[in-house]
Structure formats: structure tokens, C-alpha cells
Amino acid sequence: MKSCLNYLLTLSLFFATGSCVIDHDIDNPNPKGGDKNVMLKVSVPHAGFQNPDTRAMGVTEENMIETLDILAFKVDGGSETYQYWAQASKETAHVEGAFYQSFSAMLREQRHQQRFVIITNAHAKVMELLGQADWSNVDKEIMLSRLEIQLGSGNGWNATGPANFTAIPMWGQSEPKVIEGATTTLGTISLLRMVAKIDVQVDVDNHPALASTFKFKSVHVYNTNTSGRIVPKPGTEYVGTDMIAKKASLPAFVHTEAEPLVYTDFSSPGSPNVAMKGAIYLFETAAQNAGNMLEETCIVVGGVYGNDTQISYYRLDFMSVNGSSHLDILRNHKYTFTIVTVKGRGYSTANEAFHAKSFNMEANMLVWDEGEIRNIVFNGQYMLGVSCGRFEFNEEAHDITETDNTLKIATDYPLGWTADVWADQAGTVSAPWLTITPDAGVGGAQSDQMHLLLAANAGSERTAYVHIHAGVLIYKVVVTQDLAGITVVSVDPENVFLDYDSSGDAVVVISTRPSGKPNPNTNWTLSVPLAAQSWLKISFSSSTNFAAASTTVSGTGERTVYLYLSGVYHGNAVRTTLLELDSNPSACMIIQTPNPDYIDYDGTPPAGVITYVGAFWKTSQTGERIIRIAGMYDAHVGNRGPWHVAVSWYDDRWDDHNGDGIVFSTSKLSVSKLEARGISFTSNMTPEDAESVNSRVTDGTTAVSGVVNTANKDIVFRIGLQKAFGKYSNNPDYQTTFPARYAVVQIVYGNNPVKIQRFFIRQGEGDDRIFGPTRISPYNLGISSNRNYYGNGGFVTYPTQAGYFYQWGYSTTSSVPTPYHPTYPVTGLPQGWTQTGYNYALVDACPPNYHIPTRNEMDALFEQNSHSFWGYYADGFFDRRQIQNSVTASHESPERGVNSAVSNSNDYVAYIGNLFFNPATNSTLFFPASGYRNGALRRAGNDGMYASSTNTSGITSQNVFLNFWPSTHLQSGANIANYDKVTGYSIRCTR
């Protein structure tokens, strides 16, 4: 878990040697003893949404206490002054993320009363504060007002997920207490989080038409503070005796962020197009109410209205219930904007919407659930909450003895609540088929329970509304009762991918009423089509076999149906079938991939696009590689449809059954999340390192799936490794140590037919054999005269990088090879270029223990060059940058090197190229299409020429010309022939 806060000040730590108590030599006229181990329990304000497997922070993360610091203050009449610091440790009974958590600390025995201020998850900040001054006998507020958290400009609170979040600082304090020999506990201390939580959702439950009317895409939050006080200001006007914030406690110097915070991730517990939850946390802000709405904190909702193709924007404000004033954003409050009406298109930009009043959108502002009360309305003074905002019942009668028709209600309105039932939201038409008991209750912390009593429904689907009132507050609970027999039967999931030796997979037949609730009484029949019955059967049993399974099963309601295969599939193409539901083709396609050993060459790369062919990691690396096969939908109709990625083969150097394998993910790939990490595929940015914490695939699974359609025109996913390669050596014995290990991934995609592409994985930067006995480096040679230039011992840093060019006739006066820049100049002669020195050989170019390969070594290496595959290579450099044309593309006719290069105009340039692979071992070697120099740079991103050390008489030498023809990938390969010695070549060293 990531738990470091972005503090802006340098820490000055102030520790006492051998003790967990910092003593500032405070005048203590009433000593009573030494330190006393005291227990304390803290009460964490629980959140109403809990889903520990989601992207965003759930209740466990919001309640997490990583550190707990105690600041002790002497209470003397009406004054409180600082004495000492202590750090608490977790007790055995402590439960991470629980509502009550147990600690102990060494506190000082004193005759006078002490108040203990509790600070969680801000240990470094507390240490910084203590190091700033001698706080002995300083007033509590003067000292604690300096305890602030600051975020960098443009940064929101880190709430990425359960494995990547910043724990929220909380504050609480004890009642004044004397610590003496008999003291064992401080009791329970309530805590408040220092931030507010904002959720935004479209009310498709109560207003189903909104699901098609408005697609929710983003939230911009304006006028947020970049700093906040951990400890609120003193006085009940800020925090009441009930530990509820009443007024914003702001730092002495408040900086309001000029630019909005932008949120675009709708991952669970949110929902794409519908709800953003668990992502937005803000410091407190104070409403201005000075007549200038541009000074007020607000949100701007972005979304697509109706049939629009562009996002438009709508401003929503934190307003009082009567709309007369803006509200403070208060610590530990949870605000939920529920969009109930979208009448038309909004503004063209978020900034336009910010500068305008709310337009074409109506929303209710609710306070998020605490405990059982799931839906809360709040007007700044009172709250009214219910346990459920919508009930959906089947056609049967429901009475007081049942449990699924209970509604819990709570309010702090002094006169309690009342309720009535109507057939319309306006409350003008009666609904005699629904009654409630009781229809009134009292206010207070204890919730009341109401029963919803329904008569049996023999007609059409019907809806009623329970209007619950508490003063001016009202909540309308929607109650729907279905018509008997109206159901939709479907099979889930829509696409099932099976390996060639899969067994035990299953689908679920679902019987659903229009309301979305299941109908357990619907009969159905599921069948395997005749054409697939030789290899696929089905059964309700999870423990049978192919012979005992059937081609048809019949069931009622929701049932799991297990899939059984005839055996290991030895075909060389993907086979598919659509299961039949009630004699009609269902939407469920069963897709079985072949044994990778039976796939010809590299399989079938997608038509009309440039695909990725493999990925590379050094032995110590595990970070993400981003695979983006762009333009799939538009390039060819056969590329469209479901896609699936999984490993099909590991060599025996992996232990994937024990957490040493390859994982995949589709998270962190939104435009905003990529750009936050410096990654863009449409502009030049500076990416963060692929091995950084943010780039690790911590949420990876063994397979990922998606669909190529109008909304998702590319295949995009992340690959990560689980462990470093422990058996690595660049001087291997090939028994216990190896220069690399390999795996094969299958990318299944397309339709009519479904196709499969092989994708090759290599971990390990050692020199390895591909064909023949020669070991060859995975990197091009960099600058022979400066072995440290690329920081890789003379080689480039990444396999896709071009490195420098070298001539055979490199000089007429020196025996040291001259390296020539990979991109400059594009035309003309580079400095030091010779055109006549063809009698000289390329010597001393490779680092010690390496040499330029001979013609015979190249023959062995490339003799089976048909096993090569043209495309992009993900090595942590190429895959994180905008792919552009090579610098030679515009100078050559026909234009070559289109969409072939990254970092295209400097000496870190990297290219598309050919991946050579051994079909027996799946060992791989990537050669970038670096081009070559004939004085001018030629054909970069399209071809490559690599030098051999074999000389011939005259003006030529024997070199490898790599034919990189992306339009005919199976023809690309290597051609060894004689070429001019005055040409500048790439070098790939061997040993």
C-alpha cells in the first residue's frame, strides 16, 4: 500500500534517544512518576460504502490507521499547553480498517490533568512540526494550527485503489484526564477525517430514461484548497460536542487551486457512464456567499447528451436545501450529487460551464450513507435517511412476516418523520395496492423500521412512491411490482474463452424480470449446436466428464451450466460456437484456442494495423508494458469483436503456479491516468519510468478480455511480471543459470473467423542463442568511444533503440571506429564521414569480450529467418511514447517509415522492427529498423542493415540486410549480401 503524503516542507526530525516520548524540558512542578503504558481505543467514523475489491478507497482504506501520534497538553483552568509527544503501537486486538481499533502508548504520570490529542496517518508531519520550534508550554491552538497537509498544485487526494492510496489523517482528543499508577486506559476516542468525500451519480434507478439520455464522463472540481488543517479550530462552532463539523476550519494561509481537479475514472464502486464513487476527497473549503459564484467551490459534470458525439458540461453547486446560499465543504462529510434531470446539451467546455449558472441539469445533493442508512438528504442542519431508495418486488403478495420488504428510516429532525403512499411522484394519485406500517416515527440516532405491504399483482407492472417527510426534507422511495411471467432469459458471460486443454469452465443462465430482479419460475432449454457436439457438451454437474455430459439441458430460473470438452485440442485454428437458448442462437459464444505449438509462424496478425509482436524486461524488472494495437475497428471488419489475452506457454524457468508468472490488466489506461504518469499516445510527454511504483501491475489477472467496437476501437492492455528472474546470469551454464527466460501470449480477436496472434515474452538481458551456437546481445551498439553514454556498458538501454552507425571505411588516419549519430544529420554527410577508406576493417567497435559477428555466425543466426515477425516491441521505452514517422519518411519516395519511431529526432530514437524467434524454444531477438547511412540517413523505420566482420576485396563487405516489409510480414527476414563499405551500419555484438 502506498501511504506517503506529498508534503512540501523538508522534515526536521526530532527524536529522543531510546524512548518513544519526546520531552521538551517542560517545567513540571508536580512530578508524580515515570511513564505508564496506557491502552486506548479509537472510534473511526465509518463509511457507508464497502467493497474491498474495488479500485477506489472503500471502508477499510478510509478507516486505515498506519501511524498514531499522541500530543499531550497540560490542562490548567481554561488554558491548555503542550508537554510531550508519544507514539502509539497497535495492540494484539487491533483490527486494520475496523470501526474500533486498539492501541497502547507510554504516557507520563502527572498530578495535573492532561488532554491527549490523537493524530493518525501523519507521523512525518508531526515530526516536522516538533522539529520547527521548542513548543514547551505553548498554547494548544497556536501549536496545532501549524499542523497542515499540503498537496502539490493540481494534485487531488490519492485514492487509486486498495493497493495504492494515501491513508487519510484523522484527529480526535480525549477528555482531560489524570494519568496515575492505576490508570490502564484512556477509553474510546472518536476520530474525524480531515477530508470530505464527494460522489456523483446519475439517478438511473429512479429515472431509468436517464440511462439513454445522458452518459456521464467526467467531474471537474473548482476552487479546491491545496492545504488543510489536520486538527480543526477550537470551539463548538467548528466541531460540535457530537463530533460533527459545523464550519470549515481553514489554515492561516489558504491557497485555492486556480485550475480544476479533473476526474475521469469510473471504476468500481463507480459505474461507467453512471456513477463516480470513492475517488474524490477534498480539504475543507469555506463558502463565500459574497455574490460571486466564481469564488465558490463547485463541480462541473461532463457527459454526452442524447445523440451528441461530443462531451458537454454542467455546473452544480454545493447549495443549501432552499438554494439561498452556498455550503462549506466540511471534514468527514460525504456529499453525493444525484443527477435527476438532464434537459439538453450543456456548455462546450468545462470552463464555460464553471463561469455560468447551472443549466439544463438538475441534481439533488445527498449525504452518503453511514451505517444502515444508505440514502441521506441533508440541508446543512438536519438529515433524513433511508436504507433503500428503490424496492422491486415480484408479482406475489408481501406481508408483515417477510424481511425483504422492510425499510429503515432515520432523521435528526426534532419532530421526527411521517410517510404516505402515492401512485405518482407529485403525491396526487392514490396507490391502494401498497400500504405501509408504521407511517410515522421519532427523530434521533436510532432508526425506525417500516414494512411495505403489497397485494398480489395480476395486471401490468405498477409503481408507487413512499413519500417520507422530516420538516422540509423529503425522500421518495420507489416501489415497483412486476407482472407475472414477463422475463428475459440470457446466458452470461457473452464470450467464454477456453484454452486448448481447458476443463471446468461454466456459464450461467439468468432469468430476469424487466425490473432486473430474477424470476425463479421461468423454464428454458440450453443446447450445443450440432456442428460443435463432437467437441463440446454441457451439464448441471460440476463433477462429470465429456462422455456423461449432454448436448441439451433444461432448467428453471438461474442455473449454472458446466462446459465439457472432448479432450486436448490439436487443431491450428480457433474454433467457436454459439450456444442455443430455446432453439435460438444465444449471445454466448464459446471460443477455444489451439495448442500454441500448432499455430503456424506467428499466427494471424490483425489486418490493416501495425501490431505489437512482443515485450521485453530485464531480469530485475517487473513493471508494466503497455500494448496498444491501434485502429483495429476502422482498419478491417474482421478485426472487430471480442478479444482475449492470456499466456499459452511458459518455459521451465518460470514457476507460474507459485506466483512467478505474467499478469494482465486494463486499469490505469484512461487518458487522464496515463497523462498523470506522463504517458500520451497523441503528444510528446516525458513518461515516468516503467518500473516506478505507479507503473506496477498490482491488480493483474491471468487473462484480460474486451471488445473491439465503435466505443473501443483499439485493443489496449497492460502486461506485468510478478517476480524478478532469479536464475539469471550473463555467463550461464544453461543448467542452473540462464541469460533469459521466455513465454508466449495469445491474443485472440476478431470474427468470421476468430483469429489468434502469438506474442512473445522475454525476461532477461543476457546474451542468448536464438539459432546456432553464437550468443548475441539483445541491444544494438551505442557509442564505441563512450561506453557510458547510454548507461549500458556500450550498448543502448532498450532493445528498440537504434544506437549509432559504423563504416568499414571509417577513417584514413585512425584505427578507432567512428560512431555516427542515428538521426543527425538526416541529409548530407555527418562530421568525420569518409567515402574512400574501404581498405580498413571494423575493429575494436564492440565492448571487451564481444565481437562483431562473422558471416558464418550470421548464416547460423538467420538461416531460419522465415520465423520472424514485423511490428512494435514493448520494452518500457517504445510502448510509453507517441509513435511518429521516422525523420526520413518525408525525404524518401515512396514515403517509408510511417508510424515507426518514438523519440524520433535524437540519439535515443527507437523503431519498429523484426522479432526473430526460434519455434522450438520460443527464444527471441528483436532488431529495430534503424535504417542505414549512405552519408544521409536512409529508410529509417523501414529497413535495417547490420555489419558483419567478414571482409571482401574491394569496396564491399558482407552485411545483413533486414527486409522489413510491414505489408507482408511473413516475407520479412534477413538477406546476407555484400554492400558498400562506405555505408554506415548498425552493429549487433556477439560472444
Side-chain angles (χ1 to χ4, degrees):
M1 176 181 64
K2 182 178 180 181
S3 59
C4 57
L5 292 169
N6 185 17
Y7 299 133
L8 301 183
L9 299 177
T10 303
L11 300 184
S12 175
L13 302 183
F14 198 100
F15 292 100
T17 304
S19 173
C20 64
V21 174
I22 289 182
D23 191 340
H24 286 184
D25 296 323
I26 300 166
D27 180 21
N28 179 19
N30 299 305
K32 197 178 176 195
D35 293 338
K36 174 72 176 176
N37 189 44
V38 178
M39 301 281 295
L40 69 150
K41 182 178 288 187
V42 293
S43 171
V44 180
H46 60 272
F49 189 90
Q50 182 174 9
N51 188 341
D53 298 323
T54 60
R55 168 197 62 80
M57 292 173 66
V59 66
T60 300
E61 291 74 42
E62 287 187 342
N63 292 351
M64 182 67 68
I65 297 178
E66 296 178 333
T67 62
L68 192 150
D69 293 275
I70 300 175
L71 299 174
F73 293 86
K74 178 182 179 181
V75 178
D76 185 7
S79 68
E80 298 183 22
T81 53
Y82 176 71
Q83 289 192 294
Y84 62 91
W85 163 87
Q87 187 170 26
S89 58
K90 298 174 182 178
E91 282 292 296
T92 304
H94 180 275
V95 179
E96 296 287 359
F99 300 152
Y100 294 95
Q101 301 181 38
S102 301
F103 295 83
S104 62
M106 298 298 293
L107 303 181
R108 182 160 303 156
E109 295 184 45
Q110 304 281 2
R111 287 196 174 98
H112 58 253
Q113 288 187 323
Q114 301 178 68
R115 189 189 300 276
F116 300 99
V117 173
I118 308 300
I119 308 293
T120 76
N121 302 325
H123 176 70
K125 196 63 180 176
V126 171
M127 293 296 98
E128 177 188 352
L129 175 71
L130 295 178
Q132 289 175 350
D134 181 2
W135 297 103
S136 304
N137 298 315
V138 173
D139 177 77
K140 184 173 78 168
E141 166 59 12
I142 293 175
M143 179 184 183
L144 296 183
S145 66
R146 301 280 296 274
L147 198 54
E148 300 176 7
I149 299 295
Q150 299 179 355
L151 299 176
S153 180
N155 292 339
W157 197 268
N158 177 29
T160 305
N164 184 6
F165 69 93
T166 299
I168 298 173
M170 292 178 272
W171 158 86
Q173 62 183 16
S174 71
E175 292 297 319
K177 188 177 184 65
V178 175
I179 302 298
E180 52 190 357
T183 303
T184 60
T185 179
L186 288 181
T188 299
I189 299 174
S190 297
L191 301 180
L192 283 184
R193 298 183 191 90
M194 70 171 295
V195 296
K197 179 179 178 180
I198 316 297
D199 288 345
V200 187
Q201 61 189 16
V202 182
D203 194 3
V204 295
D205 289 337
N206 295 322
H207 304 280
L210 281 174
S212 58
T213 302
F214 183 73
K215 300 296 189 296
F216 183 15
K217 297 298 182 183
S218 67
V219 174
H220 289 64
V221 188
Y222 285 83
N223 290 327
T224 60
N225 292 339
T226 61
S227 62
R229 287 181 55 132
I230 297 176
V231 179
K233 290 185 177 182
T236 55
E237 71 269 30
Y238 290 100
V239 175
T241 56
D242 55 3
M243 285 292 286
I244 295 176
K246 307 294 185 183
K247 181 179 177 181
S249 297
L250 302 181
F253 300 98
V254 179
H255 175 69
T256 301
E257 180 61 37
E259 296 298 321
L261 300 178
V262 183
Y263 300 87
T264 58
D265 194 337
F266 289 79
S267 302
S268 179
S271 176
N273 298 324
V274 174
M276 180 180 290
K277 298 181 178 181
I280 305 174
Y281 294 82
L282 303 180
F283 291 134
E284 289 186 296
T285 62
Q288 303 303 306
N289 287 318
N292 184 1
M293 68 178 188
L294 299 183
E295 297 177 350
E296 304 290 354
T297 302
C298 71
I299 67 170
V300 171
V301 174
V304 178
Y305 175 75
N307 295 322
D308 288 355
T309 59
Q310 300 296 321
I311 296 176
S312 57
Y313 299 89
Y314 310 77
R315 173 170 174 149
L316 296 176
D317 283 274
F318 295 83
M319 300 296 294
S320 62
V321 69
N322 60 9
S324 63
S325 61
H326 290 83
L327 299 177
D328 291 353
I329 307 301
L330 300 175
R331 66 181 59 221
N332 209 61
H333 278 62
K334 300 174 180 63
Y335 301 86
T336 298
F337 285 91
T338 301
I339 299 167
V340 296
T341 302
V342 184
K343 298 177 180 178
R345 183 180 301 135
Y347 292 93
S348 298
T349 67
N351 195 46
E352 285 182 82
F354 168 63
H355 283 81
K357 293 183 178 180
S358 183
F359 171 73
N360 272 345
M361 176 178 285
E362 295 179 3
N364 297 327
M365 190 179 70
L366 313 178
V367 178
W368 187 246
D369 166 36
E370 300 235 63
E372 294 178 319
I373 306 303
R374 304 285 180 181
N375 302 277
I376 302 172
V377 289
F378 177 70
N379 65 359
Q381 182 178 14
Y382 301 118
M383 59 79 66
L384 168 65
V386 298
S387 58
C388 183
R390 185 182 185 94
F391 286 83
E392 296 170 343
F393 297 103
N394 60 27
E395 71 280 0
E396 300 170 352
H398 287 68
D399 60 29
I400 201 168
T401 64
E402 297 174 84
T403 59
D404 65 343
N405 59 343
T406 58
L407 175 68
K408 292 187 176 181
I409 304 169
T411 183
D412 56 0
Y413 181 64
L415 300 181
W417 60 268
T418 60
D420 41 36
V421 178
W422 302 96
D424 62 339
Q425 293 198 54
T428 61
V429 181
S430 64
W433 58 273
L434 173 65
T435 58
I436 56 176
T437 182
D439 60 4
V442 299
Q446 184 63 42
S447 59
D448 297 315
Q449 183 169 290
M450 173 196 291
H451 269 89
L452 309 176
L453 310 178
L454 292 80
N457 185 16
S460 61
E461 181 181 292
R462 55 194 183 185
T463 300
Y465 301 86
V466 180
H467 292 201
I468 304 170
H469 306 265
V472 297
L473 295 172
I474 182 171
Y475 197 96
K476 299 175 183 179
V477 177
V478 183
V479 181
T480 301
Q481 190 175 32
D482 283 344
L483 169 66
I486 299 178
T487 57
V488 175
V489 181
S490 59
V491 185
D492 186 64
E494 290 189 356
N495 301 292
V496 179
F497 291 87
L498 305 173
D499 293 333
Y500 69 98
D501 58 352
S502 287
S503 61
D505 290 86
V507 298
V508 179
V509 180
I510 302 171
S511 176
T512 309
R513 292 185 169 89
S515 64
K517 297 188 70 174
N519 186 343
N521 302 315
T522 304
N523 298 315
W524 48 263
T525 297
L526 188 68
S527 303
V528 177
L530 180 63
Q533 291 178 4
S534 62
W535 60 274
L536 177 66
K537 289 185 180 181
I538 54 180
S539 174
F540 287 133
S541 172
S542 62
S543 58
T544 187
N545 54 43
F546 181 81
S550 175
T551 58
T552 299
V553 294
S554 296
T556 302
E558 181 174 315
R559 294 288 301 272
T560 299
V561 179
Y562 295 89
L563 308 175
Y564 289 92
L565 300 172
S566 58
V568 176
Y569 175 43
H570 294 299
N572 62 2
V574 180
R575 58 184 179 186
T576 64
T577 189
L578 282 173
L579 296 180
E580 294 179 348
L581 187 60
D582 295 331
S583 301
N584 297 308
S586 70
C588 180
M589 178 178 287
I590 309 300
I591 303 169
Q592 187 178 28
T593 59
N595 186 327
D597 292 340
Y598 289 79
I599 299 174
D600 293 334
Y601 298 102
D602 46 14
T604 306
V609 301
I610 302 176
T611 188
Y612 271 85
V613 297
F616 174 92
W617 288 260
K618 290 184 177 181
T619 182
S620 61
Q621 294 177 337
T622 59
E624 71 175 2
R625 303 293 182 261
I626 302 175
I627 310 305
R628 179 175 178 260
I629 308 176
M632 289 284 288
Y633 183 87
D634 294 328
H636 195 277
V637 66
N639 295 341
R640 302 171 186 175
W643 59 266
H644 180 77
V645 177
V647 176
S648 62
W649 177 87
Y650 287 101
D651 68 23
D652 58 9
R653 301 161 205 173
W654 302 80
D655 187 11
D656 59 301
H657 297 295
N658 293 301
D660 182 17
I662 298 166
V663 291
F664 307 91
S665 172
T666 54
S667 68
K668 294 188 176 182
L669 292 173
S670 66
V671 172
S672 63
K673 286 194 172 294
L674 287 172
E675 289 184 349
R677 298 188 289 137
I679 301 169
S680 173
F681 302 120
T682 58
S683 63
N684 282 319
M685 299 184 71
T686 302
E688 70 175 14
D689 190 271
E691 302 304 314
S692 65
V693 172
N694 285 335
S695 293
R696 293 174 186 163
V697 184
T698 57
D699 59 347
T701 56
T702 57
V704 290
S705 299
V707 62
V708 173
N709 56 25
T710 55
N712 303 282
K713 295 188 175 184
D714 308 331
I715 292 178
V716 187
F717 59 93
R718 302 162 66 219
I719 308 180
L721 307 186
Q722 293 177 292
K723 292 184 179 180
F725 179 27
K727 296 181 179 180
Y728 170 80
S729 172
N730 202 23
N731 294 293
D733 58 18
Y734 285 96
Q735 300 295 322
T736 60
T737 57
F738 305 88
R741 58 180 177 178
Y742 302 95
V744 179
V745 168
Q746 290 183 339
I747 303 175
V748 183
Y749 69 95
N751 60 75
N752 296 323
V754 175
K755 295 164 279 293
I756 190 168
Q757 174 201 314
R758 286 207 288 182
F759 181 96
F760 294 88
I761 301 291
R762 170 173 175 158
Q763 186 184 21
E765 67 273 28
D767 313 314
D768 201 9
R769 306 162 183 159
I770 306 301
F771 296 105
T774 302
R775 292 173 55 210
I776 186 165
S777 170
Y779 305 106
N780 278 7
L781 184 64
I783 305 178
S784 58
S785 58
N786 184 356
R787 301 289 188 201
N788 295 320
Y789 185 83
Y790 287 94
N792 196 21
F795 301 110
V796 295
T797 309
Y798 298 91
T800 57
Q801 290 178 326
Y804 274 61
F805 295 110
Y806 294 82
Q807 290 179 290
W808 269 78
Y810 57 85
S811 172
T812 59
T813 60
S814 172
S815 61
V816 179
T818 299
Y820 296 107
H821 197 284
T823 60
Y824 178 81
V826 178
T827 61
L829 299 178
Q831 184 177 4
W833 187 265
T834 180
Q835 296 177 288
T836 60
Y838 56 82
N839 289 322
Y840 293 84
L842 269 176
V843 295
D844 298 327
C846 289
N849 302 318
Y850 288 89
H851 63 271
I852 300 172
T854 66
R855 162 67 190 264
N856 291 337
E857 288 175 324
M858 284 191 167
D859 275 340
L861 179 65
F862 293 108
E863 66 176 344
Q864 300 185 55
N865 63 67
S866 60
H867 295 291
S868 66
F869 190 4
W870 164 268
Y872 301 137
Y873 197 52
D875 56 3
F877 184 83
F878 192 97
D879 51 300
R880 306 173 77 74
R881 288 165 169 80
Q882 180 189 15
I883 298 175
Q884 301 170 294
N885 295 348
S886 72
V887 292
T888 64
S890 61
H891 298 282
E892 298 182 326
S893 180
E895 190 175 43
R896 304 177 187 278
V898 174
N899 295 328
S900 65
V902 302
S903 193
N904 67 346
S905 60
N906 56 62
D907 50 7
Y908 293 98
V909 62
Y911 291 105
I912 194 171
N914 250 32
L915 182 76
F916 290 84
F917 63 95
N918 185 321
T921 64
N922 290 316
S923 55
T924 57
L925 188 65
F926 182 81
F927 283 82
S930 308
Y932 55 89
R933 280 203 174 278
N934 190 3
L937 181 63
R938 300 291 304 277
R939 299 171 70 95
N942 194 85
D943 297 326
M945 296 184 73
Y946 284 78
S948 87
S949 61
T950 301
N951 197 359
T952 60
S953 61
I955 64 173
T956 63
S957 61
Q958 294 186 335
N959 302 278
V960 177
F961 185 83
L962 298 182
N963 303 316
F964 293 155
W965 300 323
S967 60
T968 54
H969 74 281
L970 289 179
Q971 298 177 31
S972 62
N975 176 35
I976 300 178
N978 292 345
Y979 293 95
D980 289 343
K981 291 181 178 179
V982 293
T983 300
Y985 305 107
S986 300
I987 291 180
R988 186 62 68 94
C989 300
T990 55
R991 60 192 293 176

